[in-house]
Amino acid sequence: MPTKKTTKKTARKAVKKTVKKTARKAVKKTAKRTVKRAAKKTAKKKVAKKTTARKPLVYADNEKSFWVTNGEILNSLVALRDALERMEKEVFAYHVGKAHNDFSKWVEEVLGDKKCAQDLKKAKTPKTARATVVKHLKSYFK
């Protein structure tokens, strides 16, 4: 017949084995979850980076440059942005009216930026037109 000491020792060993097995399983599960989460995060980051593509800035030839009534000659969106910053309202009103928008037309036909041209059609002042151009220039200089 076994003594009390051997019974206690056997019980302790059995408890230790059970605890160790349970701990190992818990660690494995936690490790698997962590790896899965990390994989999902990196997959999301890779997708986000691929969608941000830079557009090349277009410069118009001399014969297709925009001639402003105040004498300035514009050949890109950067030049348009700078001109709109110091443009007087009268000069802007000459090129932008209810029936026409010379800046929008030039940006679409010569520079090939349809989204910027559509937004420029909505601009009623040099300040709002400049803000529109600045917003669209960000897609060129990311």
Side-chain angles (χ1 to χ4, degrees), residues 3 12 17 21-22 35 41 60 64 68 75 78 82 85 99 101 104 109-110 115 130 136 141:
T3 63
R12 283 186 198 144
K17 281 184 181 179
K21 283 182 183 179
T22 309
V35 169
K41 285 182 182 179
K64 291 189 177 184
V68 186
N75 67 347
V78 175
D82 296 342
E85 185 174 0
N101 188 324
S104 173
E109 292 177 2
V110 177
K115 289 182 182 178
R130 183 182 182 282
H136 285 279
F141 298 112

Side-chain angles (χ1 to χ4, degrees), residues 10-60:
T10 311
R12 283 186 198 144
K13 285 182 183 179
V15 170
K16 282 183 182 179
K17 281 184 181 179
T18 308
V19 169
K20 282 183 182 179
K21 283 182 183 179
T22 309
R24 280 188 210 132
K25 286 181 183 179
V27 168
K28 284 182 182 178
K29 283 183 181 179
T30 306
K32 284 181 182 179
R33 281 190 218 138
T34 306
V35 169
K36 285 181 181 179
R37 287 179 185 161
K40 284 181 182 179
K41 285 182 182 179
T42 54
K44 285 180 183 179
K45 286 180 183 177
K46 287 180 182 178
V47 170
K49 287 181 182 178
K50 287 181 182 178
T51 58
T52 56
R54 237 175 53 168
K55 296 191 286 187
L57 187 62
V58 177
Y59 291 92

